[in-house]
Amino acid sequence: MSKQTDNIELVESAVGNPNDVWSADFDVVSPKHLPDHDLLIMDCESSEVSIIRNLKSRPNVILSEVHDQKGASVEEFHSLLRNKGYRIERDTSLDPTEDHRVVTAVR
């Protein structure tokens, strides 16, 4: 039997400078100061590249929307992830008329 304990903590935060945010009930955290975690889910309206570039923690899985037309290059996002030791597990287009993708990367 596994001795692993169930320990889930969900933290909703704005990472970096909040931009185009729907809710005002969150903390603002620098990418450099994110605590260690297993899963990072990002929906950050074109700040994805900046966040990954400055990310010091190493979650096992990163799931992120990437909005190429809003200034976050999908190719640069992939390259940054690979340089940090991630494998692009999945890259799905959400809208064929735009470069709006969901990317899953795994360490």
Side-chain angles (χ1 to χ4, degrees):
M1 243 184 162
S2 172
K3 295 198 179 217
Q4 180 177 355
T5 60
D6 293 332
N7 185 8
I8 297 173
E9 180 181 358
L10 177 62
V11 178
E12 183 177 1
S13 301
V15 179
N17 296 324
N19 178 6
D20 197 18
V21 178
W22 295 0
S23 169
D25 188 24
F26 55 82
D27 294 326
V28 176
V29 179
S30 164
K32 295 177 182 177
H33 297 111
L34 279 174
D36 288 335
H37 47 282
D38 294 319
L39 171 65
L40 175 62
I41 300 173
M42 298 191 299
D43 180 2
C44 38
E45 306 307 320
S46 76
S47 296
E48 302 87 2
V49 168
S50 174
I51 290 170
I52 293 299
R53 183 179 292 124
N54 293 295
L55 190 65
K56 300 297 181 205
S57 63
R58 295 290 181 261
N60 293 323
V61 178
I62 296 175
L63 175 65
S64 180
E65 277 190 311
V66 182
H67 300 269
D68 205 28
Q69 293 196 355
K70 290 187 177 182
S73 162
V74 174
E75 291 78 20
E76 184 177 6
F77 187 69
H78 283 192
S79 177
L80 285 167
L81 288 168
R82 287 187 184 108
N83 289 340
K84 290 182 178 274
Y86 288 89
R87 174 179 89 259
I88 307 303
E89 185 76 18
R90 188 172 192 168
D91 183 338
T92 306
S93 178
L94 294 179
D95 184 344
T97 64
E98 297 180 9
D99 209 353
H100 182 195
R101 320 279 280 267
V102 172
V103 175
T104 304
V106 179
R107 269 192 325 130

